[in-house]
């Protein structure tokens, strides 16, 4: 008779969630992760927006990331680097909660939680549905955030900003960038997961418990994905700040291709990588936290 080893334990995936982890816990964890992801590097995100704005006002022309930081802190004060963060806090929590809730609900409906086999279609469909739902909720908050981030913004609260944008530009102003956001988020997520899996296998081929590898792989994956999707982020910024532009072409831009042609015409192909450094710097620690 074979002796029982009292030290033997069941094998488990340390990156996975416990079996009794309910939908409510998923939503709560997603909300806190979302808020942490968007706030930890918020000042750098503001610098990114300032560098991406097309045809900025004379007081908002910067030669680079360092120049933008020193100019803004000297003239506007260090507190201005946090302008608009309330919109992120209010929007990111519910948006990420909706993401995780939608992901788990669709995955469950498609049988993706059956651990006896692999379900790539269920995972892909769940991720796509979660992205569509969460971005639909987050997009208006992102518009408000960038309207408050730009140079010369007079908005003091997110409510005031939302009312003014709605009164002057209508509801469509909050969603004109939504298709572009989806076009950016889908490849960003795919590239992030691909890079994460590659780096994880190189750094931790045995998949042993190693939080440091977990964070490093997540950070590198986020930076990689952010860098490659910068052109779509620049287009998104143009669409979300178009209501503040003095250029008639920018103010009337109605979608991705029109915005892209404006950027190409004014700055050439290099214009699509405006703000790529702060975008990568923002993404790396943010994704490291979420992973």
């Amino acid at each position: 008779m074979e002796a029982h080893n009292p030290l033997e334990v069941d094998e488990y995936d340390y990156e996975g969630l416990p079996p009794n982890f309910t939908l409510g816990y998923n939503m709560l964890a997603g909300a806190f992760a979302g808020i942490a992801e968007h706030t930890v590097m918020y000042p750098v995100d503001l610098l990114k927006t300032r560098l991406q704005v097309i045809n900025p006002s004379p007081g908002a022309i910067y030669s680079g990331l360092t120049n933008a930081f020193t100019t803004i802190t000297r003239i506007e004060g260090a507190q201005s680097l946090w302008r608009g963060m309330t919109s992120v806090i209010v929007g990111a929590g519910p948006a990420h909660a909706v993401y995780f809730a939608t992901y788990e609900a669709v995955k469950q409906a498609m049988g993706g939680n059956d651990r006896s086999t692999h379900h790539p279609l269920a995972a892909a469909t769940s991720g796509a549905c979660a992205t569509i739902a969460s971005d639909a909720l987050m997009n208006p908050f992102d518009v408000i955030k960038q309207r408050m981030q730009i140079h010369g913004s007079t908005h003091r609260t997110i409510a005031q900003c939302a009312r003014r944008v709605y009164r002057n530009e209508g509801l469509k102003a909050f969603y004109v960038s939504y298709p572009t956001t989806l076009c950016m988020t889908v490849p960003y997520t795919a590239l992030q997961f691909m890079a994460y899996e590659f780096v994880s296998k190189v750094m931790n081929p045995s998949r042993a418990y190693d939080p440091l590898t977990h964070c490093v792989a997540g950070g590198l994956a986020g930076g990689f994905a952010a860098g490659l999707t910068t052109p779509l982020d620049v287009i998104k910024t143009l669409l979300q700040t178009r209501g503040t532009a003095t250029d008639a072409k920018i103010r009337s831009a109605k979608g991705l291709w029109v915005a892209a042609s404006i950027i190409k015409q004014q700055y050439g192909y290099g214009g699509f990588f405006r703000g790529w450094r702060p975008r990568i710097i923002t993404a790396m620690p943010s994704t490291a936290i979420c992973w």
Side-chain angles (χ1 to χ4, degrees):
M1 182 175 177
E2 186 179 354
H4 174 69
N5 184 359
L7 297 179
E8 186 178 353
V9 295
D10 293 334
E11 183 180 354
Y12 69 99
D13 181 5
Y14 81 89
E15 294 183 12
L17 294 174
N20 60 343
F21 209 69
T22 65
L23 179 60
Y25 285 129
N26 267 301
M27 294 180 68
L28 190 61
F32 279 111
I35 292 172
E37 176 187 355
H38 287 282
T39 57
V40 69
M41 297 294 287
Y42 187 83
V44 184
D45 181 74
L46 182 140
L47 297 176
K48 181 205 68 154
T49 296
R50 293 289 186 95
L51 290 169
Q52 287 182 341
V53 170
I54 307 298
N55 286 345
S57 58
I61 299 176
Y62 314 107
S63 60
L65 181 60
T66 303
N67 177 253
F69 175 77
T70 55
T71 302
I72 293 170
T73 53
R74 185 182 70 252
I75 298 176
E76 303 175 45
Q79 73 279 359
S80 64
L81 295 172
W82 301 93
R83 186 184 300 155
M85 191 178 71
T86 307
S87 180
V88 169
I89 294 174
V90 173
H96 279 69
V98 167
Y99 180 94
F100 279 91
T102 304
Y103 182 86
E104 290 300 325
V106 175
K107 186 180 177 183
Q108 176 66 31
M110 295 187 67
N113 289 328
D114 179 9
R115 298 188 178 186
S116 62
T117 183
H118 187 48
H119 299 277
L121 179 60
T125 305
S126 301
C129 291
T131 297
I132 292 170
S134 64
D135 283 348
L137 179 58
M138 187 63 193
N139 214 81
F141 292 99
D142 201 48
V143 172
I144 294 169
K145 178 199 74 174
Q146 289 201 307
R147 291 297 181 95
M148 297 181 73
Q149 285 180 332
I150 60 176
H151 178 263
S153 174
T154 58
H155 305 299
R156 294 188 176 276
T157 66
I158 60 174
Q160 179 200 39
C161 180
R163 285 195 300 268
R164 188 173 298 177
V165 172
Y166 178 75
R167 184 172 62 247
N168 295 337
E169 304 169 52
L171 183 64
K172 63 182 179 181
F174 296 105
Y175 284 99
V176 67
S177 63
Y178 180 54
T180 304
T181 299
L182 291 178
C183 289
M184 178 182 70
T185 305
V186 172
Y188 175 88
T189 304
L191 288 167
Q192 185 182 32
F193 273 95
M194 179 185 70
Y196 174 78
E197 289 296 328
F198 175 78
V199 176
S200 294
K201 289 179 180 178
V202 171
M203 295 184 65
N204 187 16
S206 66
R207 293 182 65 84
Y209 179 67
D210 187 355
L212 179 60
T213 296
H214 208 43
C215 290
V216 171
L220 291 175
F224 173 75
L228 291 183
T229 54
T230 296
L232 289 164
D233 192 51
V234 176
I235 294 171
K236 179 172 73 76
T237 296
L238 184 147
L239 292 172
Q240 293 189 165
T241 60
R242 66 175 190 167
T244 64
T246 56
D247 189 316
K249 287 185 178 180
I250 296 177
R251 291 187 66 89
S252 61
K254 295 182 179 179
L256 191 157
W257 297 111
V258 175
S261 66
I262 293 172
I263 296 168
K264 170 65 167 56
Q265 183 179 21
Q266 296 201 22
Y267 295 98
Y269 289 109
F272 292 102
F273 287 91
R274 293 167 65 89
W276 67 272
R277 287 186 179 89
R279 177 165 165 78
I280 291 175
I281 293 172
T282 301
M284 291 184 72
S286 297
T287 51
I289 288 173
C290 282
W291 280 105

